[in-house]
Amino acid sequence: MNIWSWFGGKRDEECILPINSSLSVTLHQDQLKTTTTVACSRSFQEDRIWLNGKEEDINQPRLQSCLREIRRLARKRRSDGEGGVDLAGLSHKVHICSVNNFPTAAGLASSAAGYACLVYTLARVMGVEGELSAVARQGSGSACRSMYGGFVQWIMGQREDGKDSVAQQVEPETHWPELRILVLVVSAERKPVGSTSGMQTSVETSSLLKHRSDSVVPARMKEMIDAVHRKDFAAFAELTMKDSNQFHAICLDTYPPIFYLNDVSRHIINLVHHYNQHYREARVAYTFDAGPNAVIYTLQQHVDEFLQVVKHFFPPETNGGQFVKGLPVASTTLTEELRQAIGMEPMVKGISYIISTKAGPGPCIVEEPSQHLLGSDGLPKESA
């Protein structure tokens, strides 16, 4: 699953081709993941899909694009005489079951994780190998980046057919082991404006977006990739926050304007800047995708203290033991000097919970049959 990326919009909505390149970090599956099981059988009467326990419309256009493309690649491999292709299975219907362990459609890149997982699983079932990011892109643009682990760029490409609009790994997940990511879940509710419709409106109405794609992003991409290569957190942090701010400036420049951030989001932004100003260096960085939830980047040595800061200024409504999930975090004491330096009023109920994680790999195979989502009858083992 990737969760941080540079917003760009699309130059071609049907092929999902962006107006600029972008960069993301794939988060570790031990904390945030989409699990997908695909079954193929001659006994299935039709293609079907279940998401988070509920059957959904299999005829959704982007989903159909991915299915068609994987089947086309499988037929091509068969006609080319390559081994490993189940000839009979190509004419069978498929059942797909997918579950997220994080909020869906809340600005946490659920579509990116979902389509990357779907395309990877379908390809395994149908014997398709090779570069699959262009297929995942047809489901969700950012899904192409989720096909790889670590730091990944989505190269915008120039061709009208989109064949050169693919993802490329910049550095693997092992490159920067000290980097930590904290997902501050402000709201797990569905977004009032979806990412796709919002971006398209921005493309049509925002003059700032054109300036950004033409004049800002190309140089910023080079700077960010260089910062990642060098593990330069100060440069990484500043670029990340500036780009997040510009994304939401574009949202306001859209007509009518789009509001993804809320009061809690803005308090988090202020908290980060006050914290960094106190230490006179960038120790933490925020970024917000198309939703109010914050993604915080920091180094391992600062995680414990910064989380205590968050707990103090956004006190959990219930048992604090359930407030932080994921990678373990040690308890520490805040100094009065730091509390005074931040100088904000605590906001109760501002943050639902926090996920502590790090960079992770791309799609992986779940070998344990008990964790597969479909039973021997091809139906979900559990349903809502």
Side-chain angles (χ1 to χ4, degrees), residues 274-275 277-278 313 335-344:
H274 289 168
Y275 182 81
Q277 286 165 7
H278 173 69
F313 290 100
T335 65
E336 183 62 27
E337 181 186 10
L338 180 55
R339 281 197 291 267
Q340 291 293 333
I342 293 174
M344 294 168 52

Side-chain angles (χ1 to χ4, degrees), residues 55-70:
E55 184 161 13
E56 302 286 349
D57 182 11
I58 192 73
N59 294 313
Q60 201 272 345
R62 292 188 172 187
L63 181 57
Q64 284 296 313
S65 292
C66 292
L67 279 168
R68 280 196 304 270
E69 185 62 13
I70 289 293

Side-chain angles (χ1 to χ4, degrees), residues 219 241 284 349:
M241 291 187 282
V284 294
K349 302 181 184 179

Side-chain angles (χ1 to χ4, degrees), residues 151-220:
F151 302 83
V152 188
Q153 64 172 323
W154 176 9
I155 301 169
M156 63 176 289
Q158 302 297 328
R159 293 177 50 153
E160 291 185 6
D161 62 8
K163 289 185 178 180
D164 59 347
S165 183
V166 296
Q168 181 181 76
Q169 188 180 63
V170 172
E171 289 286 0
E173 63 272 16
T174 55
H175 169 68
W176 201 348
E178 303 86 6
L179 190 69
R180 288 290 181 272
I181 301 135
L182 305 171
V183 183
L184 278 50
V185 180
V186 172
S187 171
E189 300 299 317
R190 184 173 290 270
K191 293 175 293 188
V193 179
S195 305
T196 300
S197 61
M199 282 190 283
Q200 195 54 35
T201 304
S202 297
V203 169
E204 294 166 359
T205 65
S206 172
S207 56
L208 177 57
L209 177 57
K210 177 171 174 48
H211 166 72
R212 168 184 166 75
S213 61
D214 292 346
S215 305
V216 178
V217 171
R220 194 169 277 177

Side-chain angles (χ1 to χ4, degrees), residues 249-285:
I250 288 169
C251 293
L252 292 177
D253 190 49
T254 299
Y255 190 80
I258 302 168
F259 303 97
Y260 286 124
L261 304 184
N262 59 22
D263 285 344
V264 179
S265 311
R266 288 183 280 273
H267 272 70
I268 293 170
I269 290 172
N270 287 331
L271 176 69
V272 167
H273 284 296
H274 289 168
Y275 182 81
N276 287 339
Q277 286 165 7
H278 173 69
Y279 286 108
R280 293 185 172 86
E281 66 177 355
R283 292 193 173 188
V284 294

Side-chain angles (χ1 to χ4, degrees), residues 133-148:
S133 68
V135 182
R137 188 201 73 231
Q138 295 178 43
S140 169
S142 53
C144 72
R145 295 186 305 250
S146 293
M147 297 300 294
Y148 298 94

Side-chain angles (χ1 to χ4, degrees), residues 359-370:
C364 304
I365 300 170
V366 177
E367 300 286 0
E368 177 54 51
S370 64

